[in-house]
Amino acid sequence: MDFVGQSILSVDQFERADVERVFDIADAMAPYAHRTHITRVLRGAILSNMFFEPSTRTRISFGSAFNLLGGEVRETTEIRETSFAKGESLQDTARVLSGYSDIVVMRHPQPGSVSAFAGASRVPVINGGDGANEHPSQALLDLYTVRKEMAVLGRGIDGLRIALVGDLKYGRAVHSLCKLLGLFSRVAFNLASPPGLEAPPEITERLQTQGHVVQQSHHLERSIHHVDIVYVTRTQEERFASPAEANRYRGLFRLNQAVYTEHCEPNTVIMHPLPRDSRSEARELDDDLNANPNLAIFRQTDNGVLVRMALFAMVLDVVDQVHQHAMPVTWYTGKRTPR
Ligand code: CP
């Protein structure tokens, strides 16, 4: 795929070589993300960061990534703060915003909405999450993290054994990650969810057609034996008809240190797209795992900046210019640790 000028709407756009190229460019962004150097390659460029659903990581890290490349960020965080609240269409909004910016990142609750927006935009659009459908940049940063974590163990992504547990029905990060993993070889998937929150059949059937081993169950503990990665997800309460319906599933799957010690191999890496639900009735990923060195959740969030910088550089065609005129930073950066 030629990324230049393209919208990034779905992981279905990628082949394996595209994903590996994103990761190599993300690696090259480390001096800027880790604040040893600055670059101003996107000086003068404007990102419209349009988030119509709550977000901490995706919104701020896309904005930070653009700033780290030297660009400016304009953003909106609620539908009621825009003219959507007055009935303006996605298409009209896209036409207007693309007159103000060089690239748009958008999150919206409706599946397919970001693609509809991109269809009327004159500048590239990156999907920051569209309902329960997809979250392509999250999947890229997750797989980038898998690659780094496995590299520490002298392994690659091919032959990975991964348990994806929790709300697999509505978790868009899981949907996109499964599709990306499907591009690699011999992946063994253990998909474990409470009854009613199983992964969509189109995803499991696709993985099987690609030759991967897919086991589905309703048992957290049994699914996490003999895997390299446990990827935990939150009950996506915002996708349910009512809070009461979501409450039926909260707390059914809980990974904590005791469960990990009893059921996981010693080096099993723990991931979660975050946010985790730390309320007492949920705690799908307990805080008592925070001291576990295999907990990779904050390495994931740090990696998100690298991957999102890579996407901006590729789409806006400045990959070869990023390192020109790089300068060392002059301020205190002592508390930053890459790992
Ligand atoms: N993982 C993720 O999408 O987090 P936010 O909702 O905070 O952006």
Side-chain angles (χ1 to χ4, degrees), residues 54-59 107 135 138 273-275:
S55 171
T56 297
R57 276 144 292 276
T58 313
R59 181 171 64 86
R107 170 174 288 186
H135 196 346
Q138 179 72 44
L274 300 183

mmCIF file of all heavy atoms in Angstrom, residues 54-59 107 135 138 273-275, ligand 1:
data_model
loop_
_atom_site.group_PDB
_atom_site.id
_atom_site.type_symbol
_atom_site.label_atom_id
_atom_site.label_comp_id
_atom_site.label_asym_id
_atom_site.label_seq_id
_atom_site.Cartn_x
_atom_site.Cartn_y
_atom_site.Cartn_z
ATOM 1 N N PRO A 54 -15.778 9.634 24.294
ATOM 2 C CA PRO A 54 -14.698 9.842 25.262
ATOM 3 C C PRO A 54 -13.404 9.159 24.833
ATOM 4 O O PRO A 54 -13.426 8.090 24.221
ATOM 5 C CB PRO A 54 -15.242 9.200 26.541
ATOM 6 C CG PRO A 54 -16.725 9.244 26.387
ATOM 7 C CD PRO A 54 -16.980 9.061 24.915
ATOM 8 N N SER A 55 -12.282 9.795 25.150
ATOM 9 C CA SER A 55 -10.969 9.224 24.845
ATOM 10 C C SER A 55 -9.918 9.926 25.688
ATOM 11 O O SER A 55 -9.990 11.138 25.882
ATOM 12 C CB SER A 55 -10.635 9.410 23.364
ATOM 13 O OG SER A 55 -9.293 9.056 23.111
ATOM 14 N N THR A 56 -8.985 9.179 26.184
ATOM 15 C CA THR A 56 -7.784 9.764 26.790
ATOM 16 C C THR A 56 -6.575 9.470 25.914
ATOM 17 O O THR A 56 -5.930 10.376 25.375
ATOM 18 C CB THR A 56 -7.566 9.202 28.216
ATOM 19 O OG1 THR A 56 -8.662 9.582 29.031
ATOM 20 C CG2 THR A 56 -6.270 9.742 28.829
ATOM 21 N N ARG A 57 -6.257 8.178 25.751
ATOM 22 C CA ARG A 57 -5.046 7.777 25.022
ATOM 23 C C ARG A 57 -5.044 8.179 23.555
ATOM 24 O O ARG A 57 -4.080 8.772 23.056
ATOM 25 C CB ARG A 57 -4.892 6.239 25.049
ATOM 26 C CG ARG A 57 -4.246 5.676 26.240
ATOM 27 C CD ARG A 57 -4.913 4.349 26.572
ATOM 28 N NE ARG A 57 -6.262 4.636 27.019
ATOM 29 C CZ ARG A 57 -6.557 4.966 28.280
ATOM 30 N NH1 ARG A 57 -5.634 4.935 29.192
ATOM 31 N NH2 ARG A 57 -7.786 5.315 28.629
ATOM 32 N N THR A 58 -6.090 7.814 22.837
ATOM 33 C CA THR A 58 -6.059 7.977 21.386
ATOM 34 C C THR A 58 -6.003 9.452 21.020
ATOM 35 O O THR A 58 -5.194 9.871 20.187
ATOM 36 C CB THR A 58 -7.290 7.295 20.763
ATOM 37 O OG1 THR A 58 -7.434 5.995 21.338
ATOM 38 C CG2 THR A 58 -7.137 7.158 19.263
ATOM 39 N N ARG A 59 -6.847 10.237 21.668
ATOM 40 C CA ARG A 59 -6.888 11.671 21.347
ATOM 41 C C ARG A 59 -5.572 12.362 21.712
ATOM 42 O O ARG A 59 -4.967 13.056 20.889
ATOM 43 C CB ARG A 59 -8.058 12.337 22.077
ATOM 44 C CG ARG A 59 -8.195 13.818 21.777
ATOM 45 C CD ARG A 59 -9.496 14.365 22.345
ATOM 46 N NE ARG A 59 -9.556 14.295 23.800
ATOM 47 C CZ ARG A 59 -9.067 15.224 24.616
ATOM 48 N NH1 ARG A 59 -8.456 16.290 24.135
ATOM 49 N NH2 ARG A 59 -9.184 15.090 25.922
ATOM 50 N N ARG A 107 -12.942 10.095 15.858
ATOM 51 C CA ARG A 107 -13.625 9.008 16.576
ATOM 52 C C ARG A 107 -15.095 9.351 16.621
ATOM 53 O O ARG A 107 -15.481 10.497 16.882
ATOM 54 C CB ARG A 107 -13.077 8.855 18.002
ATOM 55 C CG ARG A 107 -13.910 7.899 18.859
ATOM 56 C CD ARG A 107 -13.302 7.621 20.203
ATOM 57 N NE ARG A 107 -12.124 6.776 20.089
ATOM 58 C CZ ARG A 107 -11.458 6.280 21.126
ATOM 59 N NH1 ARG A 107 -11.862 6.555 22.369
ATOM 60 N NH2 ARG A 107 -10.400 5.520 20.941
ATOM 61 N N HIS A 135 -10.587 -0.093 15.207
ATOM 62 C CA HIS A 135 -9.694 0.865 15.864
ATOM 63 C C HIS A 135 -8.292 0.566 15.317
ATOM 64 O O HIS A 135 -7.438 0.003 16.003
ATOM 65 C CB HIS A 135 -9.770 0.662 17.381
ATOM 66 C CG HIS A 135 -9.222 1.769 18.213
ATOM 67 N ND1 HIS A 135 -8.433 2.783 17.698
ATOM 68 C CD2 HIS A 135 -9.344 2.028 19.556
ATOM 69 C CE1 HIS A 135 -8.103 3.611 18.687
ATOM 70 N NE2 HIS A 135 -8.646 3.170 19.816
ATOM 71 N N GLN A 138 -5.000 1.531 17.164
ATOM 72 C CA GLN A 138 -4.826 0.748 18.394
ATOM 73 C C GLN A 138 -4.266 -0.635 18.059
ATOM 74 O O GLN A 138 -3.360 -1.138 18.733
ATOM 75 C CB GLN A 138 -6.167 0.603 19.134
ATOM 76 C CG GLN A 138 -6.092 -0.226 20.409
ATOM 77 C CD GLN A 138 -5.364 0.484 21.540
ATOM 78 O OE1 GLN A 138 -5.573 1.663 21.781
ATOM 79 N NE2 GLN A 138 -4.494 -0.225 22.246
ATOM 80 N N PRO A 273 -6.027 -2.853 25.933
ATOM 81 C CA PRO A 273 -5.991 -1.602 25.172
ATOM 82 C C PRO A 273 -6.189 -0.376 26.062
ATOM 83 O O PRO A 273 -5.870 0.743 25.649
ATOM 84 C CB PRO A 273 -7.136 -1.759 24.171
ATOM 85 C CG PRO A 273 -8.074 -2.748 24.804
ATOM 86 C CD PRO A 273 -7.204 -3.680 25.606
ATOM 87 N N LEU A 274 -6.720 -0.598 27.251
ATOM 88 C CA LEU A 274 -7.078 0.472 28.186
ATOM 89 C C LEU A 274 -8.156 1.367 27.567
ATOM 90 O O LEU A 274 -8.238 1.452 26.356
ATOM 91 C CB LEU A 274 -5.862 1.282 28.608
ATOM 92 C CG LEU A 274 -4.736 0.500 29.321
ATOM 93 C CD1 LEU A 274 -3.628 1.469 29.751
ATOM 94 C CD2 LEU A 274 -5.247 -0.289 30.513
ATOM 95 N N PRO A 275 -8.976 2.048 28.351
ATOM 96 C CA PRO A 275 -8.920 2.070 29.802
ATOM 97 C C PRO A 275 -9.381 0.748 30.411
ATOM 98 O O PRO A 275 -10.290 0.111 29.881
ATOM 99 C CB PRO A 275 -9.911 3.188 30.168
ATOM 100 C CG PRO A 275 -10.900 3.195 29.040
ATOM 101 C CD PRO A 275 -10.104 2.853 27.816
HETATM 102 N N1 CP B 1 -7.460 2.502 23.912
HETATM 103 C C1 CP B 1 -8.215 3.595 23.691
HETATM 104 O O1 CP B 1 -8.798 3.765 22.622
HETATM 105 O O2 CP B 1 -8.240 4.449 24.749
HETATM 106 P P1 CP B 1 -9.064 5.807 24.781
HETATM 107 O O3 CP B 1 -10.508 5.452 24.672
HETATM 108 O O4 CP B 1 -8.701 6.456 26.092
HETATM 109 O O5 CP B 1 -8.629 6.612 23.602
#
